[in-house]
Structure formats: structure tokens, C-alpha cells
Amino acid sequence: MADVIDYSIGFTVPEIEEILAVQKAELKKTQAAYANDGSSVSKRRLDEIHAIIRACQDALVKLAPETHARPKRTAMQSGVIGHLPK
């Protein structure tokens, strides 16, 4: 699935979350089907679902970063300076 829609344009956060929930359910069904028969059709479907889920995740980060973005990591400096006795 080469062209995945940019869900941050024209969709609200609740609509994107709804699409994401549907795709998660579809992912579980397709994974079970792939585990049973391993067909290339199921594999292709898994790839499409993953692309849509990723697009939803990207859109949620754009539209609601305060709730959906990963927290920023901060580096902490140790208070110990110099040599520790053995």
C-alpha cells in the first residue's frame, strides 16, 4: 500500500482513534489467519494494516502531541565528580 492517506488532514482525533481501533481488531484477525495458513494474501493484508496504523499514529502525534507523543527524554548528570575510593 504505497499511498497512505494523511489522517491529520480532514479527520478529528476521535475519528482517527476510531479508525485505529478498527485496524487493531482487523490486525488481530489477520494475524490469526496468517498464523493458520501463512498465505501471501494474509501477509499483504498485514502490511496494509500496519501502514494504516502507522499513519493513524503519525496523525495523532501531529494533532494531539500532548497525549500521543512520546515523552521527551532528558539526560541527567551524576552528582559524583572525581574519583571514588576502592
Side-chain angles (χ1 to χ4, degrees):
M1 186 172 211
D3 296 323
V4 177
I5 189 168
D6 182 357
Y7 290 107
S8 66
I9 300 171
F11 289 88
T12 63
V13 170
E15 289 172 331
I16 296 168
E17 289 172 339
E18 183 180 340
I19 293 167
L20 185 57
V22 169
Q23 292 303 311
K24 283 181 177 180
E26 190 64 29
L27 178 62
K28 289 178 185 178
K29 284 189 338 192
T30 307
Q31 282 177 326
Y34 184 68
N36 289 335
D37 65 13
S39 75
S40 62
V41 172
S42 294
K43 174 66 173 138
R44 198 169 335 137
R45 181 73 181 124
L46 281 171
D47 292 343
E48 291 172 359
I49 292 169
H50 283 134
I52 294 170
I53 288 173
R54 185 73 207 151
C56 287
Q57 291 170 333
D58 291 344
L60 288 170
V61 169
K62 279 185 190 177
L63 295 174
E66 64 283 350
T67 56
H68 294 286
R70 287 188 173 153
K72 296 193 187 292
R73 294 183 181 199
T74 55
M76 297 191 68
Q77 184 176 358
S78 172
V80 178
I81 299 174
H83 170 18
L84 295 174
K86 291 184 181 181

